[in-house]
Amino acid sequence: MRSKPLLSHSPLWFPTVPAIIASVLLPAALAHAQSQEQAKQATPAPATFAEDIAQRRSSAANPVKPEPPLEVTALKVWGRTDRFVHFEKEVEMTRGDLRLKADKATYRFLEDEAEAEGQVSLTRNGDCYDGDRVRVQLERRTGFVENPVYRLIRNHAQGQAKRIDFLDEERSVVHQGTYSTCQGVSPDWYLKTETLQLDTGLDTGTASRSVLYFKDTPILVAPSITFPLSSARHSGFLPPVTGATSKGGVEFGLPYYWNIAPNRDVTLYPKIISRRGLQLGAEARYLGEQYRGESTLEGIVGDRQTSTNRYALTSLHEQYLMPDLKLSWNLNMASDDNYPTDFSNSITKTSVRLLPRDLQLSYGGSFWNASFQASGYQVLQDVNAPITRPYDRLPQLQLHAEQLDVGGFDMSVDTMLTRFWHPDLVRGDRAVVAANLSLPFVRSGYFIKPQVSVHATNYHLVNPSAKQDADAHRVVPIFSLDSGLVFERDTRLFGRDFTQTLEPRLYYVNIPYRDQSRLPNFDSAPADFNFAQIFTENRFVGQDRIGDANQVTTALVSRYLENDGSERLKLAVGQRFYFNHQRVTLDNAPSPSRSDLLLAATGRWSSTLSGDLAFQLSQSNRRAIQTSYSVQWQPEAKKVLNLGYRFQRDSLEQVDISGQWPLADRLYGVGRVNYSLMDKRVVDGIAGLEYKADCWSLRFVAQRFATSTTTSNTGFSLQLELTGLARLGVGGNPLEALKRNIAGYQSVSER
């Protein structure tokens, strides 16, 4: 049983020492058993210390804020006044968050220093060090520990070393040691270094002359490795990336990440491609209070396959020049049609064939906004499936003004002035003015919204064809009436209480016929037929065609709502009926008396099962025109199965299956296959395995993706993720491909 404190005084006992001993605890029984000679060597009596303290305090003109007192407990203590105190047996020293335990320890007053040996345990800023010998300066937190086993609380790392030097409260140097975030005496992976500098202030670790071991096998030798001590970003070389594709052969890249500032960074990624040569690339990102953006530039000089210089550029930018004035651009270009397919090893990078180039300046007022835009496209053609280049807009001016609830009326005006340019087709200018006036009546159980509009268009063509006029105009009045009812009732479904709604809706549109056969077509096309489109006035997108209409759309929607208002199930059916024949067409299609029937269902039947269904049925021949459905089952984290089907008559029929599922303890299977039933081939496919250990993850992914209508590319990725250190990979980053291709996918390394 330990005694009560023998000494307990203010930390200003000795003014030459910024922080001193506050208490020394000795067992009473041991004190009585000590010999006279031991008593002479014991710590001075409290009275001596009290006189010293009184004298020092009287001479202190400007006292500083005291350090936390040093508290010491031990079974045996002796020393000399103003010089040192020596402790033995079950020694424990504490000052603030620093704690030292040892068999023997000595405190030196003048140096404010503690030295300990024999089963030493040091806790410093929450980090633990167990070694043979420790010396630490208590105020500056400098010193060393010999032969330690250490544990870092910041990132749950641990290791052992010959010696660790504490340079200050934030910096330390590990000599001839190991580092790992694995727990236990035999970690699955560890970094063996000559020196390891740990800086918690900069949040970085820098290892020199290091070897990375995985399962006691060396897998990487590096003269220097820099890694973060947390998830924060830091400058330095990223792990090398290697891989192989069927088009480029073996690839090796060594990216360098430059963390310029917390809101700006640059990644340089030189890559050697065996069949093509050296590819250089850079990606820059920036973010500010008034701006943000990112740009990527990459290229190769003297491609060995084509004997040409090849490149690609992408740049996105948004910036507020003034509180209401915004500048933005979206620029994309490539050296040739095949660049994305020849230099891509991911499904996500090969499907884009139209590269937009947009520059926009916009201003927003209290009830209006205006914009100036210049836009164009680069078309990456597939010789087996060519597409028509869209018109460039050089430039386009837009003005929108809107006022709501002005005497019960809603009013809006849209104006557009556009110059269209195309290298092969008709070019010219177009001015559009569209004005709308509506009087909505909205109540809790119903709504009625009558609206009248005028759409006026004027053209001036530079090179009209024989069937077109150089100058033309068109004015079309439009009337619509939208109405709906909302009924509610309490009901039960699958043993649960719901609020069910029944929402019938009628939408009438009347647009008189205007002959538009001699007008150019810069941007119009038939709109996709779906639930959103059947409640719009025009059956065309764009401004060059306004369809004549005398029609009514009917729809019925029913929802099942939880008590908190969340939607559990939605059922919808809709159809449009025509009272006259449609005379304005783009493809000379016949005019039916009624539209196709639309059916839709969206539901989350439980916390784990959800699905969507959309169905378009022709009323002329009772055949499906378009069909799509998807089902997702996700019983828990890292368990998901997706099934999808898409059908479009005479052009598309595909089955899409994807998922992530545990195959055994810690082993997961991942995959996706998009199979064309019409072409009898896999359009896109990805398959792989993931293994999750306590401090590392391993994933292998193989990909096959179409680069054109007749060709495909294949590749594979192998990635070893060492928690808290780095991701080492072959063939790029499989995580990006998995997240984009498998809905509901979660990385096995996520907690």
Side-chain angles (χ1 to χ4, degrees):
M1 176 179 179
R2 298 192 176 188
S3 67
K4 296 182 179 180
L6 180 64
L7 303 176
S8 180
H9 296 284
S10 166
L12 295 179
W13 289 345
F14 303 95
T16 57
V17 182
I20 56 161
I21 297 178
S23 62
V24 179
L25 305 180
L26 291 174
L30 181 60
H32 286 292
Q34 289 177 326
S35 65
Q36 185 67 25
E37 183 177 356
Q38 290 174 323
K40 291 180 181 180
Q41 297 176 348
T43 306
T48 303
F49 284 101
E51 293 172 358
D52 195 326
I53 291 170
Q55 179 181 359
R56 304 303 186 184
R57 283 180 172 174
S58 64
S59 62
N62 297 307
V64 297
K65 184 178 180 180
E67 289 284 333
L70 175 65
E71 298 180 358
V72 185
T73 62
L75 296 180
K76 184 176 181 181
V77 57
W78 58 272
R80 295 182 58 184
T81 305
D82 288 346
R83 297 291 299 276
F84 69 89
V85 180
H86 183 75
F87 307 92
E88 295 183 3
K89 296 183 180 181
E90 300 184 22
V91 181
E92 182 174 338
M93 293 184 174
T94 304
R95 174 180 286 178
D97 62 355
L98 187 146
R99 174 172 296 182
L100 176 62
K101 296 181 179 180
D103 294 336
K104 299 178 182 179
T106 300
Y107 176 77
R108 299 181 181 89
F109 289 98
L110 294 178
E111 295 83 0
D112 190 24
E113 179 181 86
E115 184 174 354
E117 60 183 17
Q119 297 185 6
V120 175
S121 177
L122 173 66
T123 302
R124 177 178 176 269
N125 296 330
D127 301 332
C128 300
Y129 306 86
D130 297 332
D132 298 336
R133 179 168 171 256
V134 166
R135 180 183 295 171
V136 59
Q137 207 283 335
L138 300 182
E139 180 185 15
R140 297 189 302 271
R141 305 294 176 93
T142 60
F144 65 85
V145 55
E146 294 180 348
N147 300 319
V149 174
Y150 66 91
R151 296 175 299 280
L152 306 181
I153 192 174
R154 186 184 185 92
N155 58 348
H156 307 288
Q158 58 104 6
Q160 55 188 8
K162 184 175 182 180
R163 176 185 169 110
I164 297 180
D165 291 330
F166 305 119
L167 305 183
D168 53 37
E169 194 166 358
E170 296 180 341
R171 297 180 301 152
S172 59
V173 180
V174 180
H175 298 276
Q176 299 181 26
T178 63
Y179 176 90
S180 176
T181 58
C182 300
Q183 304 303 309
V185 295
S186 299
D188 287 345
W189 70 264
Y190 60 90
L191 193 64
K192 189 174 183 179
T193 69
E194 185 67 23
T195 60
L196 173 60
Q197 300 179 31
L198 302 176
D199 191 328
T200 58
L202 296 177
D203 195 38
T204 58
T206 304
S208 301
R209 298 172 60 185
S210 55
V211 180
L212 179 62
Y213 286 82
F214 181 69
K215 294 295 185 179
D216 292 327
T217 302
I219 61 173
L220 180 65
V221 179
S224 178
I225 295 179
T226 301
F227 56 90
L229 298 180
S230 67
S231 58
R233 299 176 286 116
H234 299 281
S235 298
F237 282 102
L238 301 178
V241 178
T242 60
T245 65
S246 57
K247 287 198 170 186
V250 178
E251 300 178 356
F252 176 81
L254 185 62
Y256 180 83
Y257 178 77
W258 182 18
N259 189 35
I260 303 173
N263 63 334
R264 294 189 298 275
D265 61 21
V266 172
T267 303
L268 305 176
Y269 50 95
K271 181 189 295 184
I272 297 176
I273 306 175
S274 62
R275 297 178 185 172
R276 298 188 181 275
L278 175 63
Q279 182 190 48
L280 300 177
E283 179 185 23
R285 303 184 300 176
Y286 50 90
L287 175 66
E289 293 183 359
Q290 304 296 331
Y291 62 87
R292 65 178 179 179
E294 58 181 286
S295 297
T296 302
L297 174 64
E298 63 182 30
I300 185 169
V301 177
D303 187 338
R304 295 172 185 168
Q305 297 289 313
T306 63
S307 300
T308 59
N309 299 329
R310 310 181 70 184
Y311 62 87
L313 169 68
T314 298
S315 180
L316 298 171
H317 178 82
E318 293 182 359
Q319 181 174 357
Y320 281 93
L321 305 178
M322 298 170 56
D324 298 318
L325 183 63
K326 180 182 177 181
L327 172 68
S328 63
W329 68 65
N330 178 13
L331 305 177
N332 301 270
M333 65 178 63
S335 58
D336 54 85
D337 294 342
N338 297 320
Y339 185 91
T341 60
D342 288 346
F343 293 94
S344 174
N345 58 3
S346 171
I347 294 173
T348 60
K349 297 180 181 179
T350 59
S351 59
V352 177
R353 296 176 60 191
L354 283 177
L355 303 183
R357 301 170 183 175
D358 297 324
L359 175 65
Q360 184 172 16
L361 185 67
S362 59
Y363 183 85
S366 58
F367 65 92
W368 62 276
N369 59 74
S371 66
F372 170 89
Q373 181 181 10
S375 64
Y377 295 91
Q378 178 183 359
V379 182
L380 305 181
Q381 291 287 8
D382 180 356
V383 294
N384 297 302
I387 58 177
T388 302
R389 170 179 173 166
Y391 274 90
D392 295 343
R393 300 168 188 250
L394 303 172
Q396 177 173 276
L397 303 175
Q398 289 184 289
L399 175 65
H400 171 78
E402 184 176 16
Q403 287 278 51
L404 302 179
D405 197 16
V406 180
F409 289 90
D410 293 344
M411 300 175 290
S412 66
V413 177
D414 289 279
T415 62
M416 286 175 284
L417 179 60
T418 310
R419 171 160 290 177
F420 291 95
W421 185 91
H422 196 283
D424 305 316
L425 304 179
V426 175
R427 300 184 292 273
D429 302 332
R430 185 186 70 190
V432 176
V433 177
N436 302 283
L437 177 66
S438 64
L439 181 62
F441 298 91
V442 181
R443 300 295 183 266
S444 60
Y446 69 93
F447 72 90
I448 301 175
K449 182 184 177 182
Q451 177 174 291
V452 292
S453 308
V454 176
H455 193 283
T457 313
N458 188 79
Y459 294 91
H460 175 71
L461 305 183
V462 176
N463 56 338
S465 67
K467 297 182 179 181
Q468 295 172 333
D469 299 323
D471 294 285
H473 66 277
R474 177 194 62 196
V475 178
V476 183
I478 302 172
F479 171 77
S480 65
L481 177 64
D482 196 3
S483 61
L485 299 173
V486 180
F487 301 97
E488 294 184 356
R489 70 165 185 172
D490 295 332
T491 187
R492 289 182 64 83
L493 184 67
F494 304 120
R496 301 180 59 181
D497 293 329
F498 292 95
T499 298
Q500 182 188 7
T501 69
L502 188 64
E503 306 168 33
R505 184 177 178 183
L506 289 176
Y507 182 64
Y508 175 76
V509 177
N510 190 296
I511 303 175
Y513 168 75
R514 295 292 186 268
D515 184 9
Q516 303 166 52
S517 60
R518 298 185 64 84
L519 300 181
N521 182 16
F522 294 129
D523 61 3
S524 282
D528 290 335
F529 190 71
N530 51 47
F531 269 96
Q533 192 278 328
I534 63 175
F535 290 101
T536 59
E537 296 170 340
N538 193 13
R539 60 179 177 272
F540 300 100
V541 296
Q543 306 295 329
D544 293 313
R545 295 294 182 269
I546 304 296
D548 57 315
N550 183 17
Q551 62 194 34
V552 63
T553 298
T554 62
L556 185 64
V557 177
S558 182
R559 310 172 196 265
Y560 287 82
L561 306 177
E562 299 272 15
N563 294 330
D564 59 1
S566 60
E567 184 178 280
R568 181 65 69 178
L569 178 64
K570 177 182 177 181
L571 305 173
V573 58
Q575 190 172 17
R576 180 184 288 167
F577 296 89
Y578 305 104
F579 301 129
N580 59 9
H581 293 288
Q582 302 165 9
R583 301 171 62 184
V584 179
T585 63
L586 283 174
D587 51 10
N588 296 320
S591 175
S593 61
R594 53 182 173 173
S595 72
D596 297 337
L597 181 67
L598 293 178
L599 302 170
T602 301
R604 189 168 186 85
W605 300 292
S606 68
S607 60
T608 62
L609 186 63
S610 61
D612 294 279
L613 169 68
F615 192 81
Q616 179 180 345
L617 179 66
S618 173
Q619 294 298 283
S620 59
N621 54 23
R622 301 295 180 179
R623 300 172 66 187
I625 303 300
Q626 292 188 92
T627 302
S628 67
Y629 64 78
S630 63
V631 178
Q632 183 182 82
W633 183 42
Q634 193 167 20
E636 59 185 72
K638 303 179 183 65
K639 280 186 177 182
V640 61
L641 294 176
N642 304 294
L643 174 63
Y645 173 80
R646 292 187 301 162
F647 170 81
Q648 188 170 346
R649 184 158 299 280
D650 300 328
S651 61
L652 176 72
E653 187 175 13
Q654 294 179 349
V655 176
D656 200 322
I657 303 174
S658 63
Q660 176 188 24
W661 203 261
L663 304 178
D665 186 30
R666 300 177 177 268
L667 180 64
Y668 294 80
V670 291
R672 178 202 172 198
V673 58
N674 184 11
Y675 184 77
S676 174
L677 298 175
M678 294 183 63
D679 301 329
K680 308 296 183 182
R681 72 184 185 106
V682 175
V683 179
D684 299 319
I686 185 170
L689 295 172
E690 292 184 292
Y691 183 82
K692 169 60 177 153
D694 293 332
C695 56
W696 58 273
S697 303
L698 180 66
R699 54 184 61 91
F700 172 80
V701 174
Q703 302 181 58
R704 177 181 175 85
F705 45 93
T707 56
S708 70
T709 55
T710 58
T711 61
S712 300
N713 195 5
T714 58
F716 69 91
S717 302
L718 179 65
Q719 185 182 75
L720 176 63
E721 182 176 352
L722 306 177
T723 305
L725 185 68
R727 290 172 179 165
L728 307 176
V730 174
N733 185 6
L735 276 177
E736 178 185 356
L738 292 175
K739 289 180 179 179
R740 294 197 181 188
N741 285 275
I742 302 176
Y745 168 81
Q746 292 178 283
S747 172
V748 295
S749 58
E750 295 179 2
R751 297 186 180 274

